[in-house]
Amino acid sequence: MNQQGHMASYGQPQPGYQAYQQFAYDNQHMTGVPPPQYGPYNGPVQGYQQTAVPQGPLRPPPGSAPPPTSIPPSTTAQQPVYNQYGQGDVHNGPAVPDQMQRLPVSQPYMPGNTIHSGSQPMPYQQYAPPLSHAQQLPNQMARMQISGVSTNSASPSVSQGYGTPASRPPAATSLPLAGPATYSTPLQNVPSSTPQDNSLPQHPFPGQTTPASTFTSPPTSIGLTGMNLPPSLGMQRPPMMHGPPLPGQPPSGPYPNQPNHRSMGPQPGMPGVIPGGPTQGFQMHPAPGQGFVPQQNGSFGQMRAPQPNYAAPGAAAASYSSQPQPQQKRLDPDSIPSPIQVIEDDKSNRGSEPFSTGVRGQVPPLVTTDFVVKDQGNASPRYIRCATYNLPCTSDMAKQCQVPLTAVIKPLGTLPADEAHPFIVDHGETGPIRCNRCKAYMCPYMQFIEGGRRFQCAFCSCVTEVLPHYFQHLDHTGKRMDYYDRPELSLGSYEFLATVDYCKNNKFPNPPAFIFMIDVSYNALKSGLVHLLCEELKSLLDFLPREGNAEESAIRVGFVTYNKVLHFYNVKSSLAQPQMMVVSDVADMFVPLLDGFLVNVIESRAVINSLLEQIPEMFADTRETETVFGPVIQAGLEALKAAECAGKLFIFHSTLPLAEAPGKLKNRDDKKLINTDKEKVLFQPQTSFYNNLAKECVAQGCCVDLFLFPNQYVDVATLGLVTYQTGGSIYKYTYFQAQADGERFLNDLHRDVRKVIGFDAVMRVRTSTGIRATDFFGSFYMSNTTDVELAALDCDKTITVEFKHDDKLNEESGAQIQCALLYTSCSGQRRLRIHNLSLNCCTQLADLYRNCETDTLINFFVKLAYRGILSNPTKTVRESLINQSAQILACYRKNCASPSSAGQLILPECMKLLPVYLNCVLKSDVLQPGADVSTDDRAYIRQLVASMDVSETNVFFYPRLLPVHKMDIDSDDFPVAIRCSEERLSKGGIYLLENGLNLFIWVGMNTQHDLIQSIFNVQSFGQIDSGMATLPQLDNPYSKKLRSMVDAIRAQRPRFMKLLLVKQEDKMEVLFKHFLMEDKSANGGASYVDFLCHMHKEIRQLLS
Ligand SMILES: [Zn+2]
């Protein structure tokens, strides 16, 4: 059940925002802050409601338009207050261009070959304009019926219902409206786009090993001559996966080799622990004739203890024992920073204690560490993460170090059950307390002065009068007496109930609607999609998002099916049977019915079920292969407009929309463009039609979720555009077959329908003087430089923000960020979600480098790069990333590290994984595609990554690889992961690899028969069914443990991962190897070792 926070009882601790759990209202108290105290204070105090509130235009800064609350409701009732939200506020000015030529998110990319709907030929008879009353429907339907007849000859035109479910033979007699004539057309000429044979599903990454020629090809471009390393270094890999099978496996105890560097060297993100700058760098330098040798703290050298999981005597360690002797000639992978080591160190150092947010500028534990957060005045890292928690005081410092000042914000992020969800504060009619000038919302950083009668804004320093109903005395420390009782004074994250001033047209919104729009063309039917979907919807509709403990969802639903015409359904509860209305004039889309289209699920249950029963039958024999797409979105948009509500379209679509209609596309895929200056065209939409449509959708609060089921190129870059700009989600099931892919699709659909979501949202990021938000990355639309407009925003979506200096910062006061999201909840409640974060500021770069978070930095870099390819050659984007990263590391070396020879590579402790992670980004399919990565896949990934949070990008670019044979069947813990490299795999092992989208189980050929039997229920390696997608359910601890691991991993990720079993040396192994990110990749991507050398060279060049 999707239960959301509810304000029914003021002052109660509100649960809410947990996507999958049904809450009781107990045990939701916060652990850190006295729980019951919110009760008495939060409600609107009766006596104050009539108080005349001084709300006039209160000293807005020059040039800034009055934001919503400054307008008294009574005097501005006519005024569309919503439209003024954020306009003209000078606080966050226009974006400053920087090194790579960036494209504003909302900028239309189109080369101007707009398709105007008016210019489309109209092959079908036009209808009269839509009628708006129920009584008129029969007329209308009669006309539609005629239309159907006009293009065909068969269909009778009178009956308006389908046959009853009990009598639904396929014959046209019982489905008079069903096959609206179109489908009873004799099919003598099946269109040329006859569905292709898709019985042989292909995979996105079939095996090929054509190396592309890019800078990353190691030997030539990485000049390590000064280090006595042979040019072929990194290529002389030992034979892979040698070494004996593991003895006596599977082990039953915890793996003996725990990471053993907990106390060695400074730890990332622990300000105060680290003594000083210079000593903390990871260092390595070449010993004479020996390549790199560990230095200083020895953390990464050969003297270091083995990597987690790699030292088992005689086990995996054997992998190295037989390395060829020229070993000293190459950089030892064990001597370079290990992601696993860093992850494990952080787990053991920071996973045991709760992370309290009370201290400014604290670096949180890594996203891979399991930890509990206590909100003590700053937003949880689950809502906001920063690349650095210590900002340079001046823009000169920022330029010098090149570390981007960025925050990754997930405003509606889901919290674990044991953490308090944001409380809802209701100030009654007066609305939230805000600064008079910059309109920042009341938060813990506001300073109350003059005995509590006024407060000084932490963002703009303006002093604002405290309204009488909000007045409270101060204690001896200057804190308000009600400090702990009010979330907005003591917590980093909370919500305000918005007043009508925050609503469009000064009217409280209607509850949102969900419209399911189903492609019923040939491919969708043949793959089993339509049948599967309709069957599932019957039960899924019970799980629509609900507000708090509401008994039923306020969300109304509607249904449309389409191929090259659209079919609307009247599912009004009073009908005995659903009614279909066909609109074949797709050039000028309208909604043929209003009453009965969007309905309450419970009331119309019987009619809806009947419809869902009939849809697959009605279209079972269709031969229609052509589809429209633009008109489908238009239809949904028009329906929401007519119902005066926001909402979401769930579009299930299978083909390139080739039918004559607005938004019609052509197949323009051209792989020859790869690695040319024109490659960017592949990521741009092929028509501006969808840009314009997206803009309209955003204005209405119409979010579009797109489920794609393509058998060939469908132009994801264009089809996905509206989804992208409306904050929607895109899913792609290539070569979908209900049998094989149904589980993944249905899981995704369930989660998508049920997840916490806010509609018709606007996000604004305010900052204290000295910095401002200059750039935004994610799935949204921006019509000005400050307001992120979101038709909808769900709990999985993040927005990455970049900040720039516009003045000096002050070490003492630090820097404050406030993110405010105005949105409509699933019940139609207008709310503001506020997140606050305060950061430190420094005059010494060493402080900055000590408080960085590489995972967040990478999240920013990848979003920057993936947007950059829209307007730059991919090669330029890659080089730009390398260059900026090299500057970051060179600046550290120059300013923070102790003097050392140029041959040493010195990395800041907090950034020692920057090279390896950066390399993963550079060799990703989007930036460096192999020959077999489709253009659609690249566009798809590009779109997915745009809204990923830090933990998602972390695992997506550097997958988690778990040795299954080392799992402890008595523990809930996962085995410690290993590094993503082929030479880390043991022939005698079984491994699980996941990256948030893909899930593999790899089986080594020498795996013990007992283990094979326990997991796969066959006797030997040879009998394992390669390509298997589900594990047999066996009643033994190994089978159970592995399956529970798979379940747990799936539950952690926003998308369901289909399992793919890969056997060693099987032809499918190449799919798996694609994800071994430390190795040289088939598409020409450098190995980690090679790339590190390359980075070293770049850094040395910058320093010399
Ligand atoms: Zn202010």
Side-chain angles (χ1 to χ4, degrees):
M1 313 309 119
N2 197 344
Q3 301 264 339
Q4 293 200 338
H6 190 255
M7 50 71 64
S9 48
Y10 299 127
Q12 292 301 314
Q14 301 295 335
Y17 307 111
Q18 175 83 1
Y20 290 108
Q21 255 159 327
Q22 182 133 24
F23 286 111
Y25 266 156
D26 52 3
N27 74 14
Q28 285 299 318
H29 298 309
M30 302 182 55
T31 37
V33 179
Q37 295 173 330
Y38 295 132
Y41 292 96
N42 295 339
V45 185
Q46 289 260 318
Y48 292 123
Q49 291 187 346
Q50 275 92 12
T51 309
V53 179
Q55 288 201 61
L58 291 168
R59 295 195 304 265
S64 95
T69 45
S70 68
I71 300 157
S74 53
T75 60
T76 57
Q78 321 278 359
Q79 223 169 340
V81 172
Y82 181 86
N83 294 337
Q84 299 182 355
Y85 186 82
Q87 281 184 9
D89 187 326
V90 293
H91 185 62
N92 292 327
V96 179
D98 64 353
Q99 67 284 86
M100 186 151 62
Q101 184 202 338
R102 295 198 195 168
L103 204 59
V105 189
S106 55
Q107 179 179 328
Y109 308 127
M110 246 351 269
N113 49 341
T114 315
I115 296 178
H116 296 287
S117 55
S119 66
Q120 295 298 313
M122 297 178 186
Y124 303 107
Q125 182 180 334
Q126 195 129 23
Y127 299 121
L131 304 173
S132 56
H133 297 292
Q135 305 95 294
Q136 294 171 307
L137 287 176
N139 282 340
Q140 177 130 13
M141 292 186 57
R143 259 176 282 149
M144 281 171 191
Q145 201 54 43
I146 291 162
S147 154
V149 173
S150 73
T151 49
N152 305 277
S153 57
S155 202
S157 61
V158 275
S159 170
Q160 296 186 355
Y162 315 127
T164 60
S167 65
R168 50 185 147 87
T173 47
S174 69
L175 297 169
L177 268 178
T182 316
Y183 305 111
S184 56
T185 320
L187 291 160
Q188 58 272 62
N189 50 351
V190 176
S192 57
S193 49
T194 306
Q196 64 182 49
D197 180 5
N198 53 9
S199 59
L200 286 176
Q202 296 174 15
H203 292 281
F205 312 113
Q208 259 223 7
T209 51
T210 323
S213 57
T214 63
F215 86 91
T216 40
S217 306
T220 48
S221 64
I222 299 174
L224 286 167
T225 46
M227 291 181 252
N228 303 325
L229 292 170
S232 59
L233 91 171
M235 315 274 291
Q236 300 179 351
R237 289 296 167 86
M240 54 188 184
M241 293 175 285
H242 38 274
L246 293 173
Q249 57 172 266
S252 59
Y255 190 73
N257 278 292
Q258 293 302 317
N260 54 354
H261 297 290
R262 293 170 203 183
S263 57
M264 291 194 68
Q267 298 304 329
M270 301 191 70
V273 174
I274 301 158
T279 55
Q280 57 162 341
F282 146 68
Q283 306 188 3
M284 55 188 188
H285 72 177
Q290 282 244 358
F292 291 126
V293 150
Q295 272 291 301
Q296 196 98 2
N297 61 18
S299 285
F300 303 100
Q302 285 142 348
M303 295 163 316
R304 185 179 60 78
Q307 298 282 323
N309 268 329
Y310 268 94
S319 299
Y320 298 104
S321 60
S322 56
Q323 265 177 347
Q325 256 320 298
Q327 190 207 359
Q328 75 268 21
K329 294 278 186 174
R330 65 184 282 257
L331 190 51
D332 178 4
D334 266 359
S335 72
I336 58 181
S338 156
I340 307 304
Q341 190 73 53
V342 171
I343 288 169
E344 290 302 317
D345 286 355
D346 194 72
K347 276 182 187 166
S348 42
N349 287 317
R350 309 201 60 190
S352 49
E353 289 195 3
F355 177 71
S356 298
T357 68
V359 180
R360 187 177 83 188
Q362 274 187 115
V363 183
L366 297 179
V367 287
T368 40
T369 296
D370 196 11
F371 62 102
V372 175
V373 181
K374 285 185 180 173
D375 184 341
Q376 294 188 343
N378 285 293
S380 162
R382 303 191 206 284
Y383 295 126
I384 308 182
R385 277 186 176 266
C386 294
T388 174
Y389 288 80
N390 206 324
L391 306 179
C393 274
T394 65
S395 60
D396 283 350
M397 282 173 74
K399 277 198 194 95
Q400 195 186 353
C401 71
Q402 286 289 315
V403 175
L405 312 180
T406 181
V408 179
I409 308 178
K410 197 178 189 182
L412 296 180
T414 311
L415 301 182
D418 54 353
E419 290 178 17
H421 297 255
F423 298 92
I424 300 181
V425 180
D426 183 3
H427 287 309
E429 286 179 13
T430 57
I433 312 292
R434 305 176 72 175
C435 165
N436 273 345
R437 186 197 284 162
C438 74
K439 301 299 165 190
Y441 295 85
M442 179 52 65
C443 69
Y445 316 141
M446 301 295 190
Q447 188 73 45
F448 284 87
I449 54 175
E450 297 176 25
R453 289 191 302 277
R454 307 172 102 194
F455 68 89
Q456 181 165 31
C457 178
F459 300 91
C460 73
S461 302
C462 173
V463 173
T464 299
E465 206 83 30
V466 174
L467 301 180
H469 77 274
Y470 199 67
F471 176 79
Q472 179 61 250
H473 291 286
L474 308 183
D475 69 10
H476 66 283
T477 65
K479 254 183 202 168
R480 280 172 60 120
M481 305 290 282
D482 58 355
Y483 177 84
Y484 289 106
D485 306 338
R486 289 191 178 271
E488 76 274 20
L489 297 181
S490 50
L491 298 179
S493 302
Y494 44 88
E495 295 207 327
F496 288 116
L497 216 51
T499 61
V500 76
D501 302 339
Y502 295 79
C503 304
K504 261 183 195 166
N505 305 321
N506 254 18
K507 235 173 92 183
F508 280 113
N510 290 318
F514 282 180
I515 304 177
F516 297 90
M517 315 186 86
I518 307 166
D519 177 349
V520 288
S521 67
Y522 179 88
N523 276 329
L525 266 297
K526 187 180 174 228
S527 66
L529 166 67
V530 175
H531 190 275
L532 184 73
L533 173 60
C534 289
E535 192 57 38
E536 189 67 17
L537 281 178
K538 285 186 227 162
S539 54
L540 182 55
L541 293 177
D542 291 331
F543 298 101
L544 299 177
R546 279 184 280 168
E547 189 86 74
N549 51 1
E551 281 194 5
E552 59 184 81
S553 172
I555 292 176
R556 288 177 298 162
V557 298
F559 302 89
V560 171
T561 56
Y562 67 94
N563 36 54
K564 61 191 204 187
V565 299
L566 274 76
H567 323 110
F568 293 80
Y569 297 93
N570 186 342
V571 282
K572 201 175 171 178
S573 58
S574 56
L575 294 174
Q577 282 296 314
Q579 296 174 345
M580 171 197 263
M581 274 156 242
V582 185
V583 175
S584 53
D585 175 16
V586 292
D588 190 13
M589 188 44 62
F590 66 92
V591 180
L593 77 166
L594 297 178
D595 186 42
F597 179 64
L598 293 177
V599 298
N600 175 297
V601 173
I602 294 178
E603 288 169 9
S604 289
R605 168 62 81 188
V607 194
I608 291 173
N609 279 352
S610 169
L611 172 67
L612 294 170
E613 284 284 329
Q614 292 177 61
I615 287 174
E617 304 285 341
M618 274 192 289
F619 301 100
D621 299 323
T622 186
R623 294 297 180 94
E624 183 57 70
T625 57
E626 289 198 344
T627 58
V628 296
F629 186 71
V632 178
I633 298 177
Q634 285 175 324
L637 171 62
E638 292 303 321
L640 295 179
K641 273 186 192 168
E644 296 183 341
C645 66
K648 181 143 91 166
L649 314 183
F650 296 80
I651 302 182
F652 305 89
H653 189 81
S654 67
T655 62
L656 193 66
L658 296 168
E660 205 54 56
K664 171 189 174 179
L665 300 179
K666 57 178 189 286
N667 187 336
R668 48 100 187 220
D669 189 17
D670 186 1
K671 283 202 163 189
K672 289 197 289 293
L673 298 182
I674 293 173
N675 284 327
T676 72
D677 286 356
K678 286 190 180 159
E679 183 171 1
K680 60 190 176 196
V681 174
L682 297 174
F683 300 107
Q684 298 167 354
Q686 61 169 290
T687 156
S688 62
F689 172 84
Y690 292 101
N691 269 311
N692 299 331
L693 186 54
K695 210 180 294 182
E696 282 188 64
C697 286
V698 171
Q700 181 60 36
C702 170
C703 170
V704 177
D705 275 6
L706 183 56
F707 294 77
L708 287 170
F709 306 87
N711 288 338
Q712 53 199 331
Y713 178 73
V714 290
D715 199 345
V716 171
T718 306
L719 290 190
L721 189 75
V722 178
T723 298
Y724 196 72
Q725 298 202 340
T726 60
S729 303
I730 188 168
Y731 301 85
K732 183 161 162 285
Y733 309 89
T734 311
Y735 304 112
F736 178 83
Q737 287 297 313
Q739 195 76 29
D741 309 295
E743 185 186 23
R744 178 161 80 97
F745 164 57
L746 294 182
N747 274 282
D748 286 344
L749 178 63
H750 257 266
R751 192 170 195 281
D752 196 81
V753 166
R754 299 165 66 170
K755 69 184 165 189
V756 169
I757 183 167
F759 293 93
D760 205 7
V762 183
M763 188 185 101
R764 166 73 74 90
V765 177
R766 291 181 173 79
T767 46
S768 53
T769 314
I771 52 162
R772 61 197 169 90
T774 54
D775 210 348
F776 300 84
F777 303 81
S779 291
F780 51 75
Y781 178 80
M782 288 185 82
S783 57
N784 60 41
T785 53
T786 53
D787 293 328
V788 177
E789 297 172 45
L790 298 134
L793 177 73
D794 64 51
C795 57
D796 297 328
K797 299 285 190 309
T798 60
I799 292 141
T800 297
V801 185
E802 187 181 18
F803 301 95
K804 290 263 161 72
H805 285 82
D806 56 8
D807 205 345
K808 276 188 182 163
L809 294 168
N810 182 319
E811 272 183 296
E812 196 183 319
S813 51
Q816 283 74 34
I817 298 170
Q818 182 177 78
C819 164
L821 179 82
L822 174 64
Y823 72 100
T824 301
S825 78
C826 66
S827 69
Q829 204 174 63
R830 201 71 174 149
R831 293 193 199 140
L832 283 147
R833 167 82 58 109
I834 312 292
H835 295 299
N836 303 287
L837 187 64
S838 60
L839 302 172
N840 285 332
C841 300
C842 61
T843 53
Q844 298 298 315
L845 282 173
D847 290 331
L848 180 150
Y849 281 102
R850 257 199 300 268
N851 291 284
C852 281
E853 194 184 68
T854 299
D855 294 333
T856 307
L857 191 63
I858 289 292
N859 182 283
F860 171 79
F861 273 159
V862 67
K863 289 177 181 177
L864 178 67
Y866 280 19
R867 191 175 78 190
I869 59 170
L870 281 173
S871 47
N872 300 278
T874 316
K875 185 167 172 276
T876 311
V877 172
R878 282 200 304 261
E879 284 166 358
S880 168
L881 276 191
I882 292 174
N883 187 32
Q884 187 171 359
S885 302
Q887 286 191 42
I888 291 172
L889 299 176
C891 176
Y892 173 81
R893 170 69 181 260
K894 192 174 166 193
N895 297 287
C896 310
S898 55
S900 51
S901 86
Q904 283 185 315
L905 172 61
I906 301 181
L907 300 173
E909 176 69 19
C910 291
M911 289 189 190
K912 62 189 177 192
L913 298 181
L914 181 58
V916 60
Y917 286 164
L918 178 68
N919 188 37
C920 296
V921 171
L922 293 171
K923 61 203 248 189
S924 65
D925 290 335
V926 173
L927 292 184
Q928 191 172 6
D932 303 302
V933 179
S934 73
T935 302
D936 271 347
D937 275 330
R938 297 177 72 200
Y940 176 62
I941 297 296
R942 199 185 81 81
Q943 185 157 343
L944 289 188
V945 167
S947 2
M948 280 187 180
D949 69 11
V950 179
S951 62
E952 285 175 90
T953 49
N954 175 266
V955 77
F956 182 70
F957 289 98
Y958 191 94
R960 180 155 57 155
L961 181 54
L962 302 169
V964 169
H965 53 281
K966 293 186 176 170
M967 63 192 180
D968 175 4
I969 54 170
D970 299 321
S971 154
D972 285 340
D973 296 338
F974 290 173
V976 174
I978 63 166
R979 294 170 64 171
C980 288
S981 172
E982 190 166 348
E983 58 188 46
R984 308 280 172 178
L985 301 175
S986 157
K987 269 186 178 182
I990 298 176
Y991 299 85
L992 187 154
L993 183 145
E994 66 106 1
N995 72 346
L997 284 186
N998 305 88
L999 178 63
F1000 293 94
I1001 288 182
W1002 180 94
V1003 188
M1005 52 182 25
N1006 290 350
T1007 305
Q1008 295 250 323
H1009 290 187
D1010 287 355
L1011 189 58
I1012 288 178
Q1013 179 72 50
S1014 301
I1015 291 175
F1016 303 108
N1017 204 22
V1018 294
Q1019 286 172 353
S1020 69
F1021 178 80
Q1023 291 172 301
I1024 299 174
D1025 179 14
S1026 179
M1028 161 195 295
T1030 47
L1031 294 167
Q1033 304 209 358
L1034 306 176
D1035 188 20
N1036 68 68
Y1038 302 101
S1039 173
K1040 283 179 181 166
K1041 171 75 185 176
L1042 178 56
R1043 284 182 287 117
S1044 79
M1045 265 171 65
V1046 169
D1047 290 345
I1049 288 169
R1050 281 173 172 163
Q1052 284 173 7
R1053 307 294 177 205
R1055 282 158 191 265
F1056 186 86
M1057 290 177 281
K1058 185 177 165 184
L1059 174 67
L1060 187 62
L1061 187 95
V1062 171
K1063 291 163 70 176
Q1064 187 182 359
E1065 292 186 11
D1066 187 86
K1067 64 181 187 316
M1068 288 212 299
E1069 196 184 19
V1070 69
L1071 295 177
F1072 173 79
K1073 287 183 182 171
H1074 185 78
F1075 298 94
L1076 298 177
M1077 300 307 291
E1078 292 197 22
D1079 297 344
K1080 188 166 157 43
S1081 66
N1083 57 10
S1087 70
Y1088 176 21
V1089 170
D1090 293 336
F1091 183 72
L1092 193 62
C1093 294
H1094 180 76
M1095 280 301 287
H1096 191 190
K1097 190 180 136 203
E1098 295 279 320
I1099 294 166
R1100 287 176 68 179
Q1101 273 174 2
L1102 287 171
L1103 291 172
S1104 63

